[in-house]
Amino acid sequence: MKNLWLRIGAGLLACLVALGAALWTTDRANNGKRSDGLYYQASGIRPDAKLLTIDGEAVPGEEYLYWLAYACEYLTSNLGQIDWSEQLTDDATYGEYAKADALETVKLFAVIRQLAQENGVELTEDDLARLQEQKDQYAQYYGGEEAYRQQVQLMGISEEAYDRINSAYFLLDHLTELAG
């Protein structure tokens, strides 16, 4: 029963967030200063631009673009070459679907961070160690710490934003434990 109420509450919260999320404009896409990385080159959206605000939390362009790239990678890995302007459904092209999916993921991660903050949930020492272990594995894969940092920078995302995204998974685990 408790899980049912938790799901209903989460659904209502998601709806409120969806209603309250501000859509971005061209001005928002250009309000940052950074002009580095693949995401900026491909989109013209500055990585540090504040694209939207979700329940008072400003979301930078790099986070949205990270999830947009993720959605595009997911689609192409499962479907192969895609014409992004081709209709996927009556209401959306593949490109529109990828953008909407990225936006919904950004909202989800913002809600996770907000719920964690509201409930006093923080990363543990074990979480921080696991995040560092993950970075170390990536550094080894790319050929060293500097090569890893360059790879993250090439994507157009700061290491801080990358850490923020990866930290949300641990926060969600702790929130789930708290609700259980």
Side-chain angles (χ1 to χ4, degrees):
M1 185 67 150
K2 188 176 183 179
N3 286 337
L4 174 63
W5 286 111
L6 183 61
R7 281 190 234 142
I8 291 170
L12 287 173
L13 181 61
C15 289
L16 289 174
V17 169
L19 290 173
L23 297 177
W24 58 87
T25 64
T26 304
D27 290 341
R28 285 191 178 202
N30 293 319
N31 70 14
K33 293 182 169 70
R34 288 179 38 210
S35 59
D36 57 302
L38 178 63
Y39 297 158
Y40 174 75
Q41 291 171 6
S43 70
I45 298 173
R46 296 185 183 278
D48 58 340
K50 303 302 181 212
L51 289 187
L52 65 150
T53 303
I54 299 173
D55 237 12
E57 179 182 340
V59 177
E62 63 189 343
E63 187 169 346
Y64 170 76
L65 292 171
Y66 173 85
W67 288 114
L68 179 58
Y70 185 90
C72 292
E73 271 184 52
Y74 178 82
L75 287 170
T76 56
S77 69
N78 285 297
L79 302 174
Q81 186 69 22
I82 293 175
D83 175 357
W84 296 101
S85 62
E86 182 182 331
Q87 288 296 129
L88 174 63
T89 67
D90 290 340
D91 299 330
T93 64
Y94 281 98
E96 290 165 340
Y97 172 82
K99 290 178 201 175
D101 184 64
L103 181 59
E104 293 305 312
T105 304
V106 164
K107 290 177 190 177
L108 172 65
F109 275 64
V111 168
I112 290 169
R113 289 188 294 266
Q114 290 165 8
L115 287 173
Q117 185 177 18
E118 290 169 12
N119 289 285
V121 173
E122 296 180 354
L123 296 175
T124 65
E125 291 297 321
D126 185 51
D127 297 335
L128 295 172
R130 289 173 56 198
L131 284 170
Q132 185 58 51
E133 182 181 313
Q134 184 181 45
K135 282 186 193 180
D136 293 343
Q137 289 173 351
Y138 285 135
Q140 183 178 9
Y141 175 80
Y142 288 114
E145 185 73 26
E146 186 59 32
Y148 160 72
R149 284 197 175 107
Q150 286 176 344
Q151 184 65 30
V152 172
Q153 186 179 21
L154 278 174
M155 288 191 303
I157 190 168
S158 65
E159 195 168 354
E160 293 79 23
Y162 196 64
D163 289 347
R164 179 176 137 137
I165 290 167
N166 288 315
S167 295
Y169 294 104
F170 293 102
L171 295 173
L172 180 58
D173 285 345
H174 296 310
L175 286 167
T176 302
E177 291 168 6
L178 186 64

